[in-house]
Structures are given as structure tokens and as C-alpha cells.
Amino acid sequence: MVNANRTASVIEFVLLGLSAHPKLEKTFFMLILLMYLVILLGNGVLILVTVSNSHLHTPMYFFLGNLSFLDICYTTSSVPLILDSFLTPRKTIPFSACAVQMFLSFAMGATECVLLSMMAFDRYVAICNPLRYPVIMSKAAYVPMAASSWVAGSLTAMVQTSLAMRLPFCGDNIINHFTCEILAVLKLACADISVNVISMGVTNVIFLGVPVLFISFSYVFILATILRIPSAEGRRKAFSTCSAHLTVVVVFYGTILFMYGKPKSKDPLGVDKQDLADKLISLFYGVVTPMLNPIIYSLRNKDVKAAVRNLVFQKCFAQ
């Protein structure tokens, strides 16, 4: 009975991370630090070129700038904590800081889900209804679309974080993860988490299922329209305008759906392996995906490559 009401006494959590594999911690530290620097540089450059180059002041690049800023925020909410956990013998995080970190990472992840669907709609209108594109995707439309992505992600993160951190945590306060990942935190609760499970299920449907269906239907219509273009060159140019976005969608949603949608093992002998797999998968979509986004858009988009080259030349000549 005493342990059942110890929520107020929990002042910190212990992050397990890769404590069971200390020899790997320094290797992962260098690897993740390098990837984080690439994330900051790559996404920072994308934001800079989309803001400074007037030719990129279009809905597609406005969304891309938002995506780059989001990736910086998303990784900054977790990567410094991960890096510190690799260097600190006892990886602890205060209860309040855990709640803030959980909110930020959940908000950024949910926002990206919605934002990617907005970008799919932009590509659908551009390819399937090009004559009406300036009217449908006017500034009065795409700015509120991007803003609604941020609002929706923040609201759902606020709800999920509030529900999780109100739970009583009695006994073990060790989070078997690199960060305060919500699923790992829920495992520590010593109360009924059915409300959290239902809420997470509804959130997964809204922020994973609905955007995936929306993006899928958008690309069905896009592909049908592209196939009706008579010339091969025209088809290639049309597909090239959305190939980068499609690649990012496959990487992001493929990883996150596998993380949150796969069935959990009921075999006790496989729990440790499954936990390690969950950690590595979360690292992939939390660090590798944001690093790949600017690379994908830079390699597969001529306008972005030209803007980056112009920016580099301007900096060189300015010196």
C-alpha cells in the first residue's frame, strides 16, 4: 500500500541505455555525435537556402524548411541526452526533465507524420491539378497547413505526456531506453494503464494510419497522372518532383510503423533481445532518418542542389 502511492517521491529516472554493453558506448558516442553534426549542418543549410533563395519561396520548399527545422528540434530534444548517457556512469534524468523530453520528442514525431501528409497533398495538387495549383496552394493555404501540423503534434504530445506522467511509479525507476521514450516509461507504472493503451492506439490511428492512407491515395492518383503523360521525359520530370518526398516517407513511416505497430513478444526469453531491438530502431528513426532527409532532398532535387551551390559560391567570393 505504501508503494502504490509513491508518484510524488519519484524525483528521477535511471536511463539504462547501453549499460549492458559498455564497450559499445564510446563507439556509439562518436557515431551519434557525427550524425548529429551532419543533421545540424544539413538541415541548417536547407533552411538557409529555402529562406534566402527567392526561387524556393514555394509551398513545397516552405514545407521542406519546416521539415528541416522539425528534424533539428526532434534530434536536439533527445540526442544530447543520449550522448550524455554514453559518458555518464549513472545515467539519471529528473522527473520533470523526463516529462519535457518525452513531450518534445512525441510532439516532433507526431508533427512530422502530419507534415509529410501535407507535403504529399502539395505534390498531388502540383501534378494532378497543375493549373489550379497557385490558387489551391496559395500562401493563405499552405501556411495554416504547416501551422496545423505543429499544433496537432503539440496537442497530442501534451495529452499523452500528461496521461503518462500522472501514473504512479513504484518500485523500479529504471527506464530501459536511451531517453524517456513513452512506451519504455509506461512499463514502469504500477497502475492500470488501459487508458494510456487506448489513447496511444487512437493516436497511432490518427497520426500513423490516417497519414499513411492519405499519402498512399495521393500517390495512387499521382502515379496514374504520371502514366498518362505521353512523353518519357515528361514522366521523368513529373516523378522527380515527388521522388525525394516519397523516399523520405518510406524511410520514416517504414521505421516508425515497425517500431510501434509490430506485435510484442510474449516469450520471456526474447524480451531482452526485443528491448535491444527497440532501442536500435528508435535510434534509427530518431537520428538516422533526420540525417538522411537533407541528403535525400539535396541529391534528388536540382533546385536545392543549385541553391546550395549558389550559397557556397557566394560565401567563397564574399571571403
Side-chain angles (χ1 to χ4, degrees), residues 112-122 211 214-215 245 253:
E112 184 159 354
C113 291
V114 180
L115 188 62
L116 287 174
S117 66
M118 299 293 186
M119 296 173 74
F121 177 75
D122 172 73
F214 185 84
I215 293 171
H245 172 259
Y253 277 109

Side-chain angles (χ1 to χ4, degrees), residues 35-52 64-73 75-76 290-291 293-295 298 304 308 311 315:
M35 289 191 291
Y36 183 52
L37 294 176
V38 173
I39 289 169
L40 296 179
L41 177 62
N43 287 288
V45 169
L46 271 182
I47 294 173
L48 185 60
V49 297
T50 55
V51 171
S52 61
L64 178 57
N66 272 262
L67 181 63
S68 295
F69 179 69
L70 187 150
D71 283 339
I72 290 176
C73 294
T75 51
T76 301
M291 181 187 69
N293 287 350
I295 297 174
S298 298
V304 173
V308 172
L311 180 65
K315 295 296 182 181

Side-chain angles (χ1 to χ4, degrees), residues 181-233:
E181 203 273 337
I182 189 166
L183 296 182
V185 173
L186 289 178
K187 293 179 181 179
L188 304 181
C190 55
D192 182 16
I193 61 171
S194 58
V195 173
N196 302 78
V197 172
I198 294 172
S199 179
M200 283 290 293
V202 173
T203 299
N204 286 343
V205 170
I206 296 174
F207 287 89
L208 291 177
V210 173
V212 166
L213 287 176
F214 185 84
I215 293 171
S216 300
F217 280 118
S218 297
Y219 273 101
V220 167
F221 288 109
I222 288 172
L223 181 60
T225 302
I226 290 176
L227 293 177
R228 288 198 298 267
I229 297 176
S231 67
E233 181 65 18

Side-chain angles (χ1 to χ4, degrees), residues 81-126:
L81 183 62
I82 295 172
L83 293 175
D84 180 65
S85 72
F86 289 144
L87 300 178
T88 308
R90 182 175 172 81
K91 299 89 173 177
T92 61
I93 180 171
F95 185 90
S96 57
C98 183
V100 171
Q101 192 274 320
M102 181 190 296
F103 167 80
L104 290 175
S105 60
F106 201 102
M108 296 304 105
T111 299
E112 184 159 354
C113 291
V114 180
L115 188 62
L116 287 174
S117 66
M118 299 293 186
M119 296 173 74
F121 177 75
D122 172 73
R123 292 299 83 207
Y124 162 76
V125 177

Side-chain angles (χ1 to χ4, degrees), residues 160-308:
Q160 297 301 329
T161 302
S162 298
L163 290 175
M165 304 313 284
R166 286 179 181 176
L167 291 169
F169 297 96
C170 44
D172 196 358
N173 68 334
I174 298 177
I175 299 176
N176 191 14
H177 214 277
F178 298 106
T179 63
C180 290
E181 203 273 337
I182 189 166
L183 296 182
V185 173
L186 289 178
K187 293 179 181 179
L188 304 181
C190 55
D192 182 16
I193 61 171
S194 58
V195 173
N196 302 78
V197 172
I198 294 172
S199 179
M200 283 290 293
V202 173
T203 299
N204 286 343
V205 170
I206 296 174
F207 287 89
L208 291 177
V210 173
V212 166
L213 287 176
F214 185 84
I215 293 171
S216 300
F217 280 118
S218 297
Y219 273 101
V220 167
F221 288 109
I222 288 172
L223 181 60
T225 302
I226 290 176
L227 293 177
R228 288 198 298 267
I229 297 176
S231 67
E233 181 65 18
R235 290 193 295 270
R236 187 191 65 79
K237 288 183 178 180
F239 185 75
S240 67
T241 64
C242 56
S243 60
H245 172 259
L246 184 58
T247 304
V248 169
V249 165
V250 171
V251 173
F252 177 79
Y253 277 109
T255 307
I256 203 170
L257 280 173
F258 183 76
M259 176 67 181
Y260 289 100
K262 64 179 172 52
K264 297 299 180 181
S265 174
K266 296 182 180 180
D267 181 8
L269 297 177
V271 170
D272 291 339
K273 292 182 178 180
Q274 179 173 279
D275 288 340
L276 179 59
D278 287 346
K279 294 178 191 178
L280 297 179
I281 293 168
S282 68
L283 270 183
F284 184 85
Y285 79 74
V287 180
V288 178
T289 302
M291 181 187 69
L292 292 178
N293 287 350
I295 297 174
I296 292 170
Y297 274 99
S298 298
L299 292 177
R300 303 186 69 87
N301 192 295
K302 293 182 179 180
D303 292 335
V304 173
K305 286 192 287 188
V308 172

